[in-house]
Amino acid sequence: MAALRVATGAGNWFSALALGVTLLKCLLIPTYHSTDFEVHRNWLAITHSLPISQWYYEATSEWTLDYPPFFAWFEYALSHVAKYFDQEMLNVHNLNYSSSRTLLFQRFSVIFTDALFVYAVYECCKCIEGKKAGKELTEKPKFILSVLLLWNFGLLIVDHIHFQYNGFLSGLMLLSIARLFQKRHMEGAFLFAVLLHFKHIYLYVAPAYGIYLLRSYCFTANKPDGSIRWNSFSFVRLISLGLIVFLVSALSLGPFLALNQLPQVFSRLFPFKRGLCHAYWAPNFWALYSALDKVLSVIGLELKLLDPNKVPKASMTSGLVQQFQHTVLPSVTPLATLICTLIAILPSIFCLWFKPQGPRGFLRCLILCALSSFMFGWHVHEKAILLAVLPMSLLSVGKAGDASIFLILTTTGHYSLFPLLFTAPEKKNLFLIGWKLSTSLAWGLWKSSVNSYSLSPPGS
């Protein structure tokens, strides 16, 4: 806090926040890490030791490469730094290898690549404008937004304890959002296209990008009532957007197309045999559905309406990633979850097209698409809630109503991440950090949001 006061006096509070959270991440280096640590170590080994033709076929470890090609190349680049730390981590056959140097490299790789996330937050802060400025630093919307994003409790858990690279990926998403607010549509589209080829979960919010860019970039004018001037459609802009998507996709998938391996790549990216629910259920609709099926099966057994020999033994709650059939309720297929997800996002897509509200309307649609996919998607991880929490942070500093929704979403969403922490010290200490951070920000967030701050393109 003393460092923050000094930096604040010099007008460098953003740098102090970024430095402070980086130091906290360094303190978390020796904490517990999940199997995802071995997942990414194995991917380092695969991309470094094997030719590209074997990347999506290698199956020595159960943690096969199942991210899009750009992330594979990202691991390949990291592996050429990793070899200077510990060459043995790059051996495909060294399963569950975890030396002290390997731990340091992988932890620092996450911290280092978070630099993109820090830059993205800085760009998002440029999109915040306020008619009134609070006297206290904790009431300034840019400061609050920076804390909510840089010190996001969920990212600290998922990336720097559980172990993943969500900060780097979220940085790409936030930067693309910032570019759209800054009316730099081509850059925003390019960044999102690149993001899709890093991690395909962002396909869930692609409809928001597609409709917004078509509505607000390809159509160049509106009528006085806000409806489209159909004669303002620009084929040149549409072709430009299409060209961006094509070139990025060609760069990502082209080598595997040349090797005739696209079916194999897609089979890894979309492994529907993993089952409806993740090993640790995300708190969504299908968790309630499966829980109801379990209750009904117990009641059925008690009333002797079901044959005990035909009822699976706790297959849904075994903690394993697997397919299972519901006992009483109809079993759910991947197609059914896709249809439910599409139905859930349709209202927000409809509003974005017929009742556009500029970039802010786009952001609302993106959040609703993320929440819809979280509630109804196939094999949803609890970590997917960050896809909605992070962009919702931008809305929370704009209006009191959005601030209230954000506080509920971030509290419940982050609480649902606690099953990722397996050991008592992390559970206790991280709970205290999260509770203190959330309560200290709540009052400033509320006060700032009622002072008519807005999220809008610079100069608008």
Side-chain angles (χ1 to χ4, degrees):
M1 291 304 294
L4 178 59
R5 292 190 188 99
V6 173
T8 299
N12 294 323
W13 54 263
F14 185 87
S15 299
L17 287 175
L19 177 61
V21 75
T22 301
L23 293 176
L24 175 60
K25 293 170 184 177
C26 291
L27 291 176
L28 295 175
I29 286 176
T31 56
Y32 157 84
H33 57 78
S34 73
T35 53
D36 278 340
F37 182 87
E38 168 62 14
V39 169
H40 289 281
R41 187 215 59 80
N42 185 56
W43 294 359
L44 287 172
I46 289 174
T47 55
H48 184 85
S49 305
L50 301 176
I52 185 175
S53 60
Q54 297 181 33
W55 285 2
Y56 287 94
Y57 282 95
E58 167 59 34
T60 300
S61 168
E62 62 180 309
W63 313 118
T64 54
L65 180 59
D66 59 6
Y67 272 26
F70 278 178
F71 200 93
W73 288 111
F74 170 73
E75 295 278 8
Y76 174 79
L78 288 179
S79 72
H80 285 277
V81 181
K83 66 183 180 182
Y84 295 107
F85 283 76
D86 187 347
Q87 186 72 31
E88 289 302 310
M89 79 171 82
L90 302 177
N91 186 335
V92 174
H93 300 285
N94 277 352
L95 302 183
N96 299 310
Y97 184 81
S98 181
S99 67
S100 58
R101 292 187 178 185
T102 300
L103 174 66
L104 285 175
F105 169 75
Q106 292 201 221
R107 289 294 197 194
F108 276 120
S109 70
V110 180
I111 295 172
F112 178 79
T113 54
D114 274 356
L116 177 61
F117 182 73
V118 173
Y119 174 68
V121 173
Y122 180 77
E123 289 296 308
C124 286
C125 287
K126 292 181 180 180
C127 302
I128 300 295
E129 294 183 347
K131 298 178 181 179
K132 301 178 182 179
K135 295 181 180 180
E136 298 292 332
L137 179 63
T138 54
E139 295 179 21
K140 296 181 183 296
K142 291 185 179 181
F143 175 81
I144 294 172
L145 178 61
S146 298
V147 175
L148 291 176
L149 291 173
L150 292 177
W151 289 74
N152 182 271
F153 184 52
L155 278 179
L156 288 175
I157 290 178
V158 175
D159 281 9
H160 302 281
I161 297 180
H162 181 78
F163 192 85
Q164 281 192 349
Y165 291 90
N166 291 284
F168 167 71
L169 298 171
S170 298
L172 279 173
M173 182 181 71
L174 291 177
L175 190 57
S176 72
I177 291 172
R179 293 297 182 247
L180 294 185
F181 271 88
Q182 296 163 0
K183 298 183 178 180
R184 296 158 66 173
H185 298 90
M186 295 290 284
E187 290 181 44
F190 170 75
L191 289 167
F192 183 69
V194 170
L195 176 61
L196 284 179
H197 288 276
F198 268 98
K199 192 170 183 179
H200 50 303
I201 191 176
Y202 293 94
L203 278 170
Y204 284 128
V205 300
Y209 275 88
I211 295 298
Y212 176 72
L213 289 169
L214 181 62
R215 179 69 172 79
S216 301
Y217 182 67
C218 294
F219 287 94
T220 59
N222 293 328
K223 295 178 181 179
D225 61 358
S227 59
I228 295 177
R229 288 189 182 275
W230 292 98
N231 59 358
S232 69
F233 181 75
S234 171
F235 281 102
V236 173
R237 292 191 173 189
L238 179 63
I239 292 172
S240 298
L241 289 175
L243 191 61
I244 285 176
V245 175
F246 173 77
L247 291 177
V248 171
S249 300
L251 182 62
S252 172
L253 300 174
F256 300 97
L257 178 62
L259 293 168
N260 197 28
Q261 291 185 358
L262 278 187
Q264 175 64 19
V265 172
F266 288 134
S267 71
R268 286 285 183 86
L269 298 185
F270 303 98
F272 293 115
K273 291 184 179 181
R274 287 188 174 181
L276 176 64
C277 296
H278 184 50
Y280 294 95
W281 294 1
N284 63 4
F285 177 81
W286 302 122
L288 295 175
Y289 186 89
S290 298
L292 176 60
D293 182 77
K294 185 66 177 178
V295 170
L296 292 176
S297 65
V298 171
I299 294 174
L301 289 173
E302 289 293 328
L303 298 177
K304 298 183 179 181
L305 298 175
L306 297 175
D307 184 354
N309 297 321
K310 296 182 179 180
V311 176
K313 302 297 182 182
S315 62
M316 295 181 294
T317 54
S318 62
L320 300 176
V321 176
Q322 59 181 328
Q323 285 184 304
F324 60 82
Q325 299 294 317
H326 289 95
T327 305
V328 179
L329 299 176
S331 294
V332 180
T333 64
L335 179 60
T337 63
L338 176 61
I339 292 173
C340 290
T341 303
L342 291 176
I343 292 174
I345 70 173
L346 277 179
S348 58
I349 295 296
F350 180 89
C351 290
L352 185 61
W353 179 265
F354 290 100
K355 297 181 180 179
Q357 299 175 4
R360 191 181 184 87
F362 154 73
L363 187 56
R364 290 186 183 279
C365 183
L366 182 149
I367 294 166
L368 289 171
C369 286
L371 287 173
S372 297
S373 65
F374 182 82
M375 291 302 297
F376 298 106
W378 176 266
H379 196 74
V380 176
H381 292 229
E382 58 280 273
K383 303 179 286 288
I385 194 62
L386 295 176
L387 192 58
V389 168
L390 294 174
M392 188 66 198
S393 303
L394 278 72
L395 288 182
S396 69
V397 296
K399 294 182 179 180
D402 291 331
S404 299
I405 295 172
F406 171 77
L407 288 174
I408 296 173
L409 176 64
T410 191
T411 301
T412 55
H414 289 165
Y415 182 78
S416 71
L417 296 175
F418 269 82
L420 297 179
L421 305 179
F422 286 84
T423 59
E426 281 77 22
K427 287 183 178 181
K428 179 181 177 181
N429 295 332
L430 265 294
F431 176 80
L432 292 175
I433 291 173
W435 176 81
K436 186 173 181 179
L437 183 60
S438 299
T439 53
S440 63
L441 285 174
W443 179 243
L445 175 61
W446 179 265
K447 289 184 68 176
S448 69
S449 64
V450 299
N451 282 335
S452 300
Y453 292 106
S454 63
L455 185 64
S456 56
S460 62

